[in-house]
């Protein structure tokens, strides 16, 4: 009965969107994707899933409108910076009956298993250049942080205030998180890590960043290739200090994806098998993003160190919960797996602290 209801809803979406020849492409955590044709153009139709991470997803007009409006703005900004590096057609429809997005077909998914290290690096260079150039585009969004939608203010950041002050407060939180980790697990304490965390926070506190529209989610699933050219899709845009998101990218590709490769969320991607390709993408990204500026490399590596710290701290927070949610288990595994990974990541933190600002 549920399957029939889903099929009926899909048919309504196909009819409303005016598309034909639907071919199922796959599904992520939140959407299923269909390759379709509209007005003789190949498009990708995405339909929100009714169940995500083990729980039913309630309809939220403002949240969906914020997500899709932010995606449209990010695509426009990327294409202004690097033409063709994001879908150039994007529209969406949000209602209690059915919701969908429709965008240009961006190309084929990355094939990590056939990719050489040189190809991985080239992809990374392109993504790094896209990030760097997109940061320079005026986005016109008021506020900071995660993007929200209200009918009164339209798309805007969930936080207000000065970004520099916000970054300094965040730096204090990073240092406090490390202190809390060391108190909970004395074996984690390391003088070099502590010193380098202070170096990294002082480095970021000296900057006066301009709030940029940046992407928090450029996982391999969201990087497509059309020929040899990269196309970024399904972003998670926020207004933030740009170096922070560059550091996030490096942490994802050099640590996070491999560390979590055995979780239910990532198991199918076999990231542990393709660690060299992921690190090749990261190496290329840093090259494309820094454009030869060693001061930018240092800033990004400092942010990467802080991101790795927060990955460890997140695992500590999960272990402090009396009971894990189904979503937590899908993302991170059970408490035994989380405990093991916490200490593996803390070891990676010690190793990275010894090289991150001296490469």
């Amino acid at each position: 009965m549920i399957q029939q209801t889903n099929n009926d809803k899909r048919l309504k979406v196909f009819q409303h969107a005016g598309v034909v020849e639907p071919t199922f492409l796959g599904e992520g955590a939140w959407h299923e994707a269909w390759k379709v044709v509209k007005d003789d153009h190949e498009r990708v139709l995405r339909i929100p899933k009714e169940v995500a991470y083990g729980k039913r997803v309630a309809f939220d007009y403002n949240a969906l409108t914020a997500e899709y409006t932010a995606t449209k703005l990010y695509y426009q900004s990327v294409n202004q910076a690097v033409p063709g590096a994001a879908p150039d057609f994007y529209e969406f429809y949000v209602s209690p009956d059915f919701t969908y997005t429709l965008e240009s077909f961006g190309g084929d998914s990355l094939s990590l298993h056939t990719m050489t290290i040189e190809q991985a690096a080239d992809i990374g260079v392109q993504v790094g250049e896209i990030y760097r150039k997109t940061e320079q585009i005026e986005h016109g969004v008021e506020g900071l942080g995660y993007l929200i939608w209200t009918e009164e203010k339209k798309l805007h950041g969930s936080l207000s205030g000065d970004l520099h002050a916000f970054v300094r407060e965040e730096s204090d939180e990073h240092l406090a998180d490390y202190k809390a980790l060391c108190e909970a697990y004395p074996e984690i304490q390391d003088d070099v890590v502590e010193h380098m965390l202070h170096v990294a926070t002082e480095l970021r506190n000296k900057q006066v960043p301009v709030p940029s529209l940046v992407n928090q989610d450029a996982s391999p699933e969201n990087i497509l290739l059309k020929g040899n050219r990269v196309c970024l899709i399904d972003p998670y845009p926020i207004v933030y200090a740009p170096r922070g998101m560059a550091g996030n990218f490096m942490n994802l590709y050099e640590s996070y994806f491999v560390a979590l490769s055995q979780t239910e969320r990532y198991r199918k991607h076999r990231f542990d098998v393709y660690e060299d390709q992921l690190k090749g993408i990261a190496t290329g990204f840093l090259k494309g993003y820094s454009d030869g500026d060693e001061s930018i490399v240092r800033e990004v590596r400092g942010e990467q160190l802080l991101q790795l710290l927060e990955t460890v701290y997140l695992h500590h927070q999960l272990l402090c919960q009396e009971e894990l949610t189904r979503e937590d288990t899908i993302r991170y595994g059970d408490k035994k797996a989380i405990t093991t990974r916490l200490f593996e990541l803390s070891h990676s933190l010690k190793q990275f602290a010894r090289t991150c600002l001296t490469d």
Side-chain angles (χ1 to χ4, degrees):
M1 185 64 182
I2 294 175
Q3 183 65 37
Q4 185 58 48
T5 301
N6 288 341
N7 287 336
D8 290 344
K9 184 173 283 189
R10 287 191 195 100
L11 288 174
K12 289 180 180 178
V13 169
F14 295 154
Q15 292 169 357
H16 189 273
V19 301
V20 295
E21 301 178 31
T23 303
F24 185 64
L25 288 175
E27 59 182 340
W30 299 98
H31 292 79
E32 61 178 44
W34 296 77
K35 189 175 182 181
V36 297
V37 174
K38 182 172 183 178
D39 301 328
D40 296 325
H41 292 286
E42 288 185 329
R43 305 291 190 208
V44 174
L45 183 80
R46 285 190 174 82
I47 305 172
K49 296 166 69 172
E50 296 190 355
V51 176
Y53 289 109
K55 60 183 179 182
R56 193 165 188 83
V57 181
F59 175 77
D60 186 330
Y61 177 85
N62 284 346
L64 288 165
T65 302
E67 177 183 348
Y68 300 150
T69 304
T71 295
K72 185 170 187 175
L73 177 62
Y74 186 76
Y75 284 173
Q76 291 171 340
S77 299
V78 167
N79 281 319
Q80 189 177 341
V82 183
D88 58 7
F89 173 88
Y90 184 84
E91 63 182 30
F92 61 88
Y93 181 81
V94 178
S95 79
D97 295 325
F98 53 82
T99 297
Y100 63 87
T101 69
L102 190 66
E103 65 185 48
S104 307
F105 179 69
D108 298 317
S109 301
L110 293 188
S111 177
L112 292 174
H113 73 282
T114 62
M115 188 183 298
T116 66
I117 305 303
E118 291 74 18
Q119 289 169 329
D122 179 66
I123 289 166
V125 168
Q126 291 187 56
V127 177
E129 290 176 347
I130 293 166
Y131 268 53
R132 170 169 50 85
K133 293 177 180 179
T134 302
E135 289 169 7
Q136 300 163 17
I137 302 299
E138 176 59 47
H139 53 76
V141 176
E142 178 185 335
L144 306 170
Y146 296 103
L147 300 176
I148 57 177
W149 173 276
T150 61
E151 287 300 323
E152 178 188 4
K153 294 185 68 175
K154 306 304 180 187
L155 188 70
H156 60 283
S158 58
L159 302 172
S160 59
D162 175 65
L163 179 57
H164 189 218
F166 178 77
V167 167
R168 293 182 72 89
E169 291 174 12
E170 195 178 54
S171 294
D172 291 339
E173 291 173 5
H174 288 312
L175 297 176
D177 290 346
Y178 184 66
K179 183 178 179 181
L181 279 171
C182 292
E183 289 174 352
Y185 318 95
E187 60 269 48
I188 286 179
Q189 204 286 324
D190 183 272
D191 290 344
V192 175
V193 173
E194 186 172 359
H195 171 70
M196 295 312 297
L197 289 173
H198 280 280
V199 171
T201 52
E202 288 171 8
L203 190 62
R204 75 199 307 254
N205 290 349
K206 289 177 182 177
Q207 303 168 38
V208 184
V210 176
S212 298
L213 185 68
V214 290
N215 180 14
Q216 197 173 16
D217 185 8
S219 65
E221 300 164 278
N222 299 334
I223 301 175
L224 303 180
L225 284 179
K226 214 167 195 176
N228 293 321
R229 300 303 301 167
V230 161
C231 180
L232 300 184
I233 62 164
D234 202 16
Y236 191 171
I238 65 172
V239 176
Y240 187 69
R243 299 291 185 266
M245 283 304 98
N248 176 65
F249 186 99
M250 295 298 294
N251 181 52
L252 290 175
Y253 279 77
E254 290 196 336
S255 300
Y256 188 91
F257 289 141
V258 172
L260 276 79
S261 61
Q262 295 304 312
T263 61
E264 189 174 337
R265 168 68 178 90
Y266 289 119
R267 193 177 300 131
K268 67 180 180 181
H269 299 297
R270 303 177 67 203
F271 287 143
D272 54 331
V273 177
Y274 306 120
E275 182 175 0
D276 289 344
Q277 287 85 345
L278 293 171
K279 288 185 175 179
I281 292 173
T283 299
F285 175 89
L286 191 57
K287 179 180 178 181
Y289 182 81
S290 65
D291 196 27
D293 189 330
E294 287 302 317
S295 66
I296 293 178
V297 172
R298 283 176 57 81
E299 291 165 6
V300 173
R301 287 299 195 185
E303 293 292 336
Q304 182 180 355
L305 179 70
L306 298 174
Q307 291 284 341
L308 181 53
L309 164 67
E310 291 309 316
T311 304
V312 180
Y313 188 72
L314 170 62
H315 282 64
H316 166 61
Q317 289 178 304
L318 290 166
L319 292 175
C320 289
Q321 293 176 195
E322 188 171 332
E323 193 172 323
L324 296 175
T325 66
R326 174 62 181 143
E327 179 175 351
D328 291 334
T329 304
I330 291 171
R331 287 179 179 272
Y332 304 104
D334 59 20
K335 285 200 173 185
K336 181 180 178 182
I338 292 170
T339 301
T340 300
R341 194 181 306 115
L342 182 149
F343 287 105
E344 290 174 348
L345 287 167
S346 67
H347 178 68
S348 297
L349 183 68
K350 291 176 184 179
Q351 289 185 311
F352 187 63
R354 283 158 171 75
T355 61
C356 63
L357 298 180
T358 58
D359 286 350

